[in-house]
Amino acid sequence: PQAPSPRNDIRDCSAEPPYLPPTATNTTARLAALRGLMRTQGAHAYIVPSTDAHMSEYISERDARLGWLSGFTGSAGTAVVTQDKAALWTDSRYWTQAERELDCNWELQRTTSIESIGLWILEAVPAGGNITLDPFLFSIDTWNSYSRALHGSGRTLFPLETNLVDQAWGDQRPLPSSSEIYSLPAEFTGSSWQQKVAGIRQRMEQHPRRPTAVLLSGLEETAWLFNLRGDDIPYNPVFYSYTLLTNTTISLFLNESRLSAAARGSLSSGCPGPLCVELQDYGQVSAHLRRYTQDNVTVWLGTEYTTYGLYGIIPQDKLLEESYSPVMTAKAVKNAHEQEMLRAAHVRDAVAVIQYLLWLERTVPQGQVDEFSGAQHIDALRWAQENSRGPSFQSISASG
């Protein structure tokens, strides 16, 4: 029997010199830039997550900070960088991918638990050290978990509102999307945005604590509430936004210049009055929330999609916390028209899949199809169906 050949598609940091596959990214300069910025901030460790400021499962290239810093492009992971170490935590789906993409500046930690990250930090950072992170990239629960993991250790966890990875990335960082934010036609929604707003305000009145405002951070919440769509994140019909909805006012935070004429007209149709949507710049949400919470108010939010950065602005006695906002729970219950639309979409998709299976039966025996060309073909068949806006995730194509 032949001796098994060593794998050459993953790194070997024990070799002399270390072996890196062509898929690995050289991160030496990136880490040096980040460490220089950490020194200026007095940070002994910096934590980098894989999510964005809206706790999105999928993110835009502009928000792929973990990918830029480490070279690792999996959808879930956490990095911690100190002045002399860098480590990446990810789950078993991505261990082989990480060994292909990381260079030897990085340790791979085959777990995702915050307890494990906390123990690593306690070993890597001496007592008296500062552990920093961007509070607008961490959920309330995740912040609290880090706080517990480091509690009583003599190390300080503190939020740093300037994102150090963004600074190190500089002008190489991808620009924000400039594509149009458009209205979803009434034939697809079954209810107008004005009806949806009225329904949420009714829930506010019926709640025992009578909240004066609802804060929306999840991107699909604002998209659903106003029947608007965009394409800021691949495969997701959303756009970067926040909403603060009160009993009498509606503040929508986004890049206003991107709204289509029809969308702008729809949002301003109730002006002046309680159904007038006041458009504000996306970056103003923190300042607006700070001003709003100076009065006698109660802000209702869903903790699953709100970052610690926004949460920390609101005084504790003015908070109404639930796992999901009333918009997220309302969105989950589809009206009769939406149900009809869902069924019709599934029928159209089934037609595309049946066409694909027939095509495969005819083409595979000729030896002309591989996984990639197969994925391209099913995407094309789906695009050809009426009302298609593309797939909801990249086709996962495999055989054997």
Side-chain angles (χ1 to χ4, degrees):
Q2 287 184 308
S5 61
R7 288 184 64 166
N8 62 359
D9 64 339
I10 62 171
R11 62 182 185 159
D12 182 357
C13 296
S14 63
E16 193 55 55
Y19 171 75
L20 294 177
T23 46
T25 299
N26 183 343
T27 62
T28 302
R30 298 172 186 187
L31 285 167
L34 177 62
R35 285 167 173 149
L37 292 163
M38 287 167 59
R39 280 193 293 274
T40 65
Q41 297 286 348
H44 298 95
Y46 192 64
I47 308 175
V48 182
S50 56
T51 188
D52 64 10
H54 302 272
M55 302 292 100
S56 305
E57 182 180 0
Y58 303 100
I59 57 171
S60 70
E61 284 187 9
R62 180 174 170 80
D63 285 316
R65 297 173 178 91
L66 181 68
W68 176 80
L69 182 66
S70 68
F72 171 70
T73 60
S75 69
T78 303
V80 182
V81 177
T82 68
Q83 284 301 331
D84 57 356
K85 288 183 179 177
L88 174 86
W89 285 258
T90 191
D91 65 74
S92 56
R93 292 173 298 167
Y94 294 117
W95 292 344
T96 302
Q97 181 178 339
E99 295 285 15
R100 288 174 178 159
E101 294 181 330
L102 298 174
D103 66 8
C104 290
N105 289 312
W106 291 86
E107 302 170 19
L108 175 60
Q109 303 287 332
R110 294 166 191 263
T111 173
T112 55
S113 78
I114 290 175
E115 293 78 11
S116 157
I117 299 173
L119 288 170
W120 188 93
I121 289 172
L122 293 180
E123 280 190 26
V125 176
N130 293 320
I131 291 88
T132 57
L133 46 76
D134 179 345
F136 290 94
L137 294 180
F138 288 83
S139 71
I140 300 158
D141 285 348
T142 306
W143 168 275
N144 289 336
S145 297
Y146 280 114
S147 196
R148 282 193 297 272
L150 299 170
H151 181 72
S153 68
R155 286 112 177 131
T156 306
L157 181 67
F158 76 87
L160 199 60
E161 294 194 10
T162 307
N163 189 289
L164 300 186
V165 174
D166 292 353
Q167 281 192 306
W169 205 345
D171 58 11
Q172 298 300 303
R173 187 181 176 208
L175 294 169
S177 175
S178 58
S179 61
E180 189 174 73
I181 298 167
Y182 58 94
S183 287
L184 199 63
E187 66 196 87
F188 296 113
T189 63
S191 53
S192 68
W193 70 258
Q194 291 91 341
Q195 289 169 316
K196 292 177 178 180
V197 165
I200 301 304
R201 283 176 168 159
Q202 190 177 6
R203 288 186 181 213
M204 291 162 66
E205 285 172 22
Q206 291 169 348
H207 196 286
R209 283 196 54 195
R210 300 293 291 271
T212 60
V214 173
L215 174 66
L216 305 179
S217 293
L219 298 181
E220 62 269 42
E221 297 181 290
T222 289
W224 177 86
L225 184 64
F226 296 110
N227 292 334
L228 296 175
R229 298 292 186 268
D231 62 356
D232 292 17
I233 297 174
Y235 308 108
N236 291 260
V238 294
F239 52 92
Y240 286 104
S241 56
Y242 294 97
T243 299
L244 188 70
L245 172 67
T246 77
N247 296 314
T248 55
T249 65
I250 308 168
S251 299
L252 171 57
F253 301 85
L254 79 175
N255 180 347
E256 185 184 341
S257 67
R258 294 176 49 201
L259 283 169
S260 71
R264 188 184 296 271
S266 167
L267 296 172
S268 63
S269 59
C271 297
L275 287 172
C276 175
V277 180
E278 183 188 339
L279 301 174
Q280 301 216 33
D281 186 71
Y282 174 78
Q284 290 301 306
V285 64
S286 295
H288 184 92
L289 198 55
R290 206 168 262 117
R291 284 193 302 274
Y292 178 75
T293 52
Q294 287 172 355
D295 296 325
N296 183 25
V297 297
T298 303
V299 179
W300 192 0
L301 55 78
T303 55
E304 286 289 319
Y305 288 87
T306 307
T307 63
Y308 183 79
L310 280 185
Y311 173 83
I313 290 170
I314 306 166
Q316 284 291 312
D317 61 334
K318 297 178 180 182
L319 262 172
L320 169 55
E321 298 174 51
E322 292 179 2
S323 294
Y324 299 101
S325 79
V327 168
M328 197 62 95
T329 53
K331 180 178 84 70
V333 181
K334 305 303 179 190
N335 63 41
H337 186 72
E338 286 173 317
Q339 292 179 36
E340 188 186 319
M341 294 285 102
L342 283 166
R343 290 188 193 104
H346 274 279
V347 169
R348 292 195 300 273
D349 195 63
V351 170
V353 172
I354 291 164
Q355 289 173 329
Y356 179 59
L357 294 173
L358 182 64
W359 178 83
L360 278 180
E361 283 179 19
R362 288 174 175 162
T363 327
V364 168
Q366 299 166 18
Q368 300 297 309
V369 189
D370 59 23
E371 286 95 332
F372 183 67
S373 64
Q376 286 182 306
H377 191 71
I378 195 168
D379 285 351
L381 291 170
R382 285 176 159 147
W383 270 113
Q385 288 294 326
E386 188 185 6
N387 298 321
S388 173
R389 303 291 300 203
S392 61
F393 55 88
Q394 192 170 13
S395 289
I396 299 170
S397 178
S399 68

